[in-house]
Amino acid sequence: MLKVDPTQRVCGAEINTIEETKRKNWLDLQNLIFLVSDTESGRNTGEFLKLYFESREDLDLKNVLIDVVPDLQDERPVDFKVHGLRNLVRRIGHYLERFGGADHVAIDATGGYKAQIAIAVIVGQALNMSVFYKHEKFSEIIDFPPLPISFDHEILANNAALLTDFERGEVYSSDDLGEIDEKLRVLLAEVNVDGKPLYELSPIGQIYL
């Protein structure tokens, strides 16, 4: 693969988009972190990309890392929705802290599950991060323009203890919560267990926190 022009489609979306950002000087590319699915294919792809980019001496990268996101898989849809996407948000947050904040991190939302792209865009918009993407039919990558998205901090002010419990993994029934404020409901995921609705923090709720 190192002998193939990295702009060629056969190289795959990840290699194509990273090569294009390098050539357009969009980023001062120093570190690459591949957030991969919790599947055999995800791990294999991550291992290949790590070996490939570590062998690209022209990029002079400091770190090339693979991070398997727990429960980001396609065999258990409920775990994907409730836990996998939340874990994806957590891992993005971890690297934001590690590398100095939104001014020093960009998200390449190309590849992976479609829901990952949606979450990546929301994270980017909420934290004013660069998010770029390339559809297989696009001739070049695009960056998502800023959208008028903001968070209502009164939700946290009014529900701090409850949201902290959700972040710690607590689950509540509708009986526990009573009538749920519609603004708070947006941050929760509802799962039916034995015919009874239970509530956990949703991926959007994780971004909010």
Side-chain angles (χ1 to χ4, degrees), residues 35-73:
L35 297 171
V36 302
S37 61
D38 192 3
T39 63
E40 183 178 1
S41 294
R43 291 181 179 86
N44 288 340
T45 302
E47 290 289 349
F48 168 78
L49 290 170
K50 177 175 167 57
L51 181 59
Y52 174 87
F53 280 104
E54 284 178 338
S55 302
R56 286 283 304 274
E57 295 180 359
D58 59 306
L59 294 178
D60 193 27
L61 297 169
K62 295 179 180 178
N63 294 287
V64 181
L65 307 174
I66 306 169
D67 193 339
V68 179
V69 181
D71 288 315
L72 198 67
Q73 44 67 47

Side-chain angles (χ1 to χ4, degrees), residues 11-30:
C11 290
E14 292 82 5
I15 293 174
N16 290 166
T17 52
I18 291 167
E19 183 66 18
E20 189 168 342
T21 59
K22 174 179 138 334
R23 294 191 177 194
K24 290 191 173 184
N25 296 318
W26 280 14
L27 302 172
D28 175 19
L29 189 61
Q30 299 180 14

